[in-house]
Amino acid sequence: DMAVPGWGKKCNLCTKILQQIKAIAGEDPDEAAVEAALGKACRALGKRLGGFCKRLVKKFREQICESLQNGDQPQDACAAIGFCKA
């Protein structure tokens, strides 16, 4: 279940996860780099966040890949998928 108490918390988690993916994917990643980073980031986040990360990535893989390739900020990417208030 994706439900996490409160908007702020959800936004925070999403942003954290995307920052991690972005850090692993590096600047200007291609699709392969993003794909690789998605798996690594969820593992790197540990058990508690890892599960949420996996669900987030599974559900929004396309959007996350796209926004990372576009160089969007994590907060903007999370707003685009509805986890942060735009």
Side-chain angles (χ1 to χ4, degrees):
D1 181 24
M2 296 292 272
V4 174
W7 266 103
K9 185 130 174 108
K10 234 177 182 177
C11 177
N12 219 343
L13 288 176
C14 178
T15 306
K16 217 178 235 145
I17 290 166
L18 264 93
Q19 277 166 342
Q20 181 81 28
I21 296 171
K22 203 175 155 88
I24 294 173
E27 286 307 307
D28 205 21
D30 59 11
E31 203 168 330
V34 174
E35 288 287 339
L38 291 177
K40 283 194 189 122
C42 291
R43 281 199 297 279
L45 286 162
K47 270 208 170 57
R48 205 171 58 84
L49 262 182
F52 182 77
C53 178
K54 284 197 185 78
R55 290 195 295 277
L56 187 78
V57 164
K58 204 167 148 185
K59 199 167 175 190
F60 299 107
R61 181 177 285 274
E62 291 294 303
Q63 291 101 312
I64 292 172
C65 286
E66 215 166 281
S67 42
L68 285 170
Q69 286 174 281
N70 290 342
D72 295 346
Q73 287 311 306
Q75 181 100 15
D76 297 332
C78 290
I81 59 177
F83 278 85
C84 297
K85 290 194 171 80

